[in-house]
Amino acid sequence: MTDPRPHHYRFVHRELARQVLEFGPRVATPAPDGGSLLPVVTRIWDDLGRTLPPEERLPAHGLDCRHLSVDGHPMLLVTLPTPVGATEAHFAAAVHPRGSRTVRYVTLEHAFSPFDGSPGTVLGEWTAESHLNHGQGPSPVAELFAASVAGLVTPKKRGLWRR
C-alpha cells in the first residue's frame, strides 16, 4: 500500500472540501453564463502547491471539472489527477440534493483491500464535522460515481406500511 501524496490528499480532503462546504449549493449549480469552474479549481490546486515543499508539489495534469445533473440533483463533478496512494481520490462531487438547502461533498477514494492488497474504491463524504465512510465504491468511472452520489443523496422510499 502506498501512502497518499500530501498535495493530492490535502487538496481533496481539506482545501476543496472546505471551499465546497463554505460556498454551499451555488458551487453545484452552473453559472448563468455557463462558465467553467476549472480555472478556480486549478487555482486552488496551484495555491496549495505553493505552500508545500517543492518535492511534494504535483502538476494539475488530469484535473478537470464539469457541472451536470443526475436524477435532478445539480452536481459539480471534479476529476482528479490519477491517484496513487490510499485515500487519494479519483473524483469529488459537490452535490445539491433536490429539495435541500445544503450541499454535500462526496469523494471516490482509491483504496487497497486489507486482505490481499488489491486496488478498489471507497465512497467517502466530508461534512463540517467529520469524514464518513459509505463503504465500497464503484469502479473509477465518472458516470458510475455520479450515479452513486445521486443514489446516496436520494431519500430512500419506505414500504407501504412503514412511516
Side-chain angles (χ1 to χ4, degrees):
M1 182 165 82
T2 306
D3 288 335
R5 297 167 293 176
H7 194 162
H8 204 290
Y9 181 88
R10 289 181 191 163
F11 176 78
V12 172
H13 296 284
R14 298 291 183 258
E15 292 303 316
L16 190 58
R18 183 180 61 78
Q19 297 280 341
V20 165
L21 295 172
E22 179 179 323
F23 286 99
R26 62 185 170 186
V27 174
T29 308
D33 65 1
S36 172
L37 284 180
L38 184 57
V40 174
V41 171
T42 303
R43 187 175 67 240
I44 296 167
W45 178 273
D46 291 341
D47 287 350
L48 172 62
R50 283 190 275 283
T51 70
L52 299 171
E55 65 275 8
E56 293 182 358
R57 295 176 190 162
L58 299 173
H61 179 71
L63 186 63
D64 198 7
C65 68
R66 62 186 163 114
H67 282 101
L68 59 151
S69 180
V70 180
D71 295 339
H73 304 291
M75 184 182 307
L76 174 68
L77 175 67
V78 179
T79 302
L80 284 305
T82 303
V84 175
T87 69
E88 292 184 6
H90 296 275
F91 302 104
V95 60
H96 182 200
R98 187 175 51 241
S100 174
R101 292 183 183 173
T102 61
V103 68
R104 291 176 68 176
Y105 180 72
V106 183
T107 58
L108 185 65
E109 300 170 23
H110 189 57
F112 296 94
S113 167
F115 302 108
D116 63 9
S118 62
T121 65
V122 170
L123 200 59
E125 180 175 1
W126 281 99
T127 69
E129 296 82 31
S130 66
H131 180 261
L132 306 173
N133 181 330
H134 294 292
Q136 184 175 355
S139 295
V141 175
E143 292 76 16
L144 297 176
F145 171 62
S148 292
V149 171
L152 181 66
V153 303
T154 300
K156 308 298 180 242
K157 293 183 181 179
R158 297 190 170 264
L160 181 62
W161 301 106
R162 296 183 192 178
R163 290 192 190 260

